[in-house]
Amino acid sequence: MTRFLFFILIASVLSTAHAAVRVVTSLPDLADFAQQIGGDRVKVDFIVKGNQNPHFVEVKPSYMMKLKSADIFFVIGMELELWAPQLVDGSRNPNLDVVDLSKGVQRMEVPAAVNASLGDVHRFGNPHYWLDPRNVRVIAGEMIEALAKASPGDEAFFRSNADAYLKKLDGKIAEWQAQMKPFTGTKILTFHKSWSYFANWLGLVIAGQVEPLPGIAPTPSHTSDLIRLCRQGNIKAIIVEPFYDMSAPEQIARSTSAKVLQLPTSVGGVDEAKDYLSLMDYNISTLAAALK
Ligand SMILES: [Zn+2]
């Protein structure tokens, strides 16, 4: 009996010491990174599905419930998740650590003055930095810090997991760069400004967007301007996320030699994108095949 009680005591001490850190992330990509770093010491969930537009997410009680029982909420920041403050308020969780992962990122397209007109959803600069895989190192750094704060005894474990993952990622980055090298300087259009960091990394030139402004639906006059631009400028492809309306991109493609490519910006955006590495594999191989 004594031995039995002793066993129970030890088991309960062990389970308290190793209670998993409860993590919620805005995007599924961030959930993948948190899982890679946290291993079995975290329990990870996310809010936005990969086939949803991350800028516009309906605030639901079920999302607030996810945050109610969480320790950490990782967000991209730069106002990608305009809907997040409402979820955090609604969660009524005073202990929730909301971690903005953009702090150490070299930001692109930051306006000199904040432009709140016309519904521009990139008022504080372009938030789509996770599509440059070199930024995963910055994201991982912030994640380690927050996870170690929540579970100080596991810091070395988090660091060694992150190191192993980043080493694997570095190998893939070299592979992806080699695959895209023949297309340096190639001109493309994108539907939304989701691909600025991606294009900057690979030396692609984004000649324009189908949206007149980030978050604003295409207009006939802007679409006509893009058709003219494509005819003059030898533009090879129009990248469109699976959740956008295809009619304006298809109209441009019909009148020019540009091909429309549906590429996901997040894990789960297409069936092939099961995690961040396969998301990038899919995007790079689809793009390289189309540009050939
Ligand atoms: Zn955006």
Side-chain angles (χ1 to χ4, degrees):
M1 185 65 180
T2 320
R3 186 182 287 178
F4 178 70
L5 285 175
F6 180 72
F7 179 76
I8 294 287
L9 179 70
I10 291 295
S12 81
V13 165
L14 282 176
S15 73
T16 316
H18 284 95
V21 180
R22 290 159 301 182
V23 175
V24 175
T25 69
S26 55
L27 303 187
D29 316 81
L30 300 180
D32 182 24
F33 305 144
Q35 191 66 67
Q36 298 288 343
I37 297 167
D40 61 357
R41 316 275 164 89
V42 294
K43 216 173 153 281
V44 183
D45 200 354
F46 59 89
I47 306 277
V48 187
K49 292 200 181 77
N51 56 6
Q52 266 182 295
N53 183 338
H55 289 289
F56 303 107
V57 173
E58 197 192 335
V59 173
K60 291 183 186 173
S62 62
Y63 299 154
M64 293 175 190
M65 289 310 288
K66 288 185 187 203
L67 293 180
K68 192 179 179 64
S69 55
D71 300 306
I72 303 174
F73 182 29
F74 285 124
V75 296
I76 288 290
M78 298 177 77
E79 283 208 346
L80 177 78
E81 302 97 340
L82 276 167
W83 39 271
Q86 234 182 309
L87 284 189
V88 172
D89 284 351
S91 75
R92 297 178 188 277
N93 176 355
N95 302 316
L96 184 67
D97 186 10
V98 181
V99 179
D100 178 339
L101 298 166
S102 72
K103 279 178 281 181
V105 170
Q106 194 80 44
R107 299 176 176 199
M108 291 179 72
E109 298 161 12
V110 179
V114 171
N115 175 15
S117 66
L118 302 163
D120 183 343
V121 293
H122 289 178
R123 295 188 303 159
F124 295 100
N126 189 316
H128 299 274
Y129 58 84
W130 72 95
L131 289 171
D132 178 343
R134 297 171 302 180
N135 282 332
V136 177
R137 188 171 287 278
V138 183
I139 294 170
E142 296 289 346
M143 283 188 167
I144 292 168
E145 199 180 304
L147 289 169
K149 203 163 91 187
S151 184
D154 290 323
E155 182 168 354
F157 174 76
F158 298 143
R159 284 196 186 281
S160 97
N161 286 347
D163 285 349
Y165 180 68
L166 291 172
K167 198 174 163 202
K168 192 158 128 194
L169 179 68
D170 281 343
K172 293 298 291 185
I173 288 174
E175 221 176 88
W176 294 325
Q177 287 176 179
Q179 253 176 295
M180 288 300 292
K181 197 156 194 305
F183 311 110
T184 307
T186 301
K187 285 189 199 167
I188 57 169
L189 294 183
T190 68
F191 189 97
H192 177 76
K193 282 195 170 184
S194 308
W195 303 90
S196 302
Y197 293 85
F198 178 88
N200 178 57
W201 164 50
L202 294 168
L204 299 168
V205 177
I206 299 179
Q209 280 80 31
V210 181
E211 287 181 333
L213 270 176
I216 303 294
T219 60
S221 71
H222 185 65
T223 301
S224 307
D225 288 347
L226 291 175
I227 291 172
R228 219 168 303 127
L229 185 75
C230 284
R231 285 179 178 157
Q232 292 162 355
N234 189 29
I235 286 162
K236 300 277 189 197
I238 310 167
I239 301 182
V240 187
E241 288 89 321
F243 46 77
Y244 284 122
D245 182 20
M246 291 295 280
S247 49
E250 277 168 356
Q251 191 193 337
I252 298 168
R254 270 198 303 275
S255 333
T256 66
S257 58
K259 288 181 212 168
V260 178
L261 292 182
Q262 273 196 323
L263 298 184
T265 47
S266 276
V267 170
V270 294
D271 289 345
E272 291 87 342
K274 303 217 179 300
D275 53 26
Y276 183 78
L277 298 183
S278 52
L279 166 76
M280 296 300 285
D281 269 337
Y282 179 82
N283 285 341
I284 298 280
S285 59
T286 308
L287 186 56
L291 295 180
K292 234 167 230 165

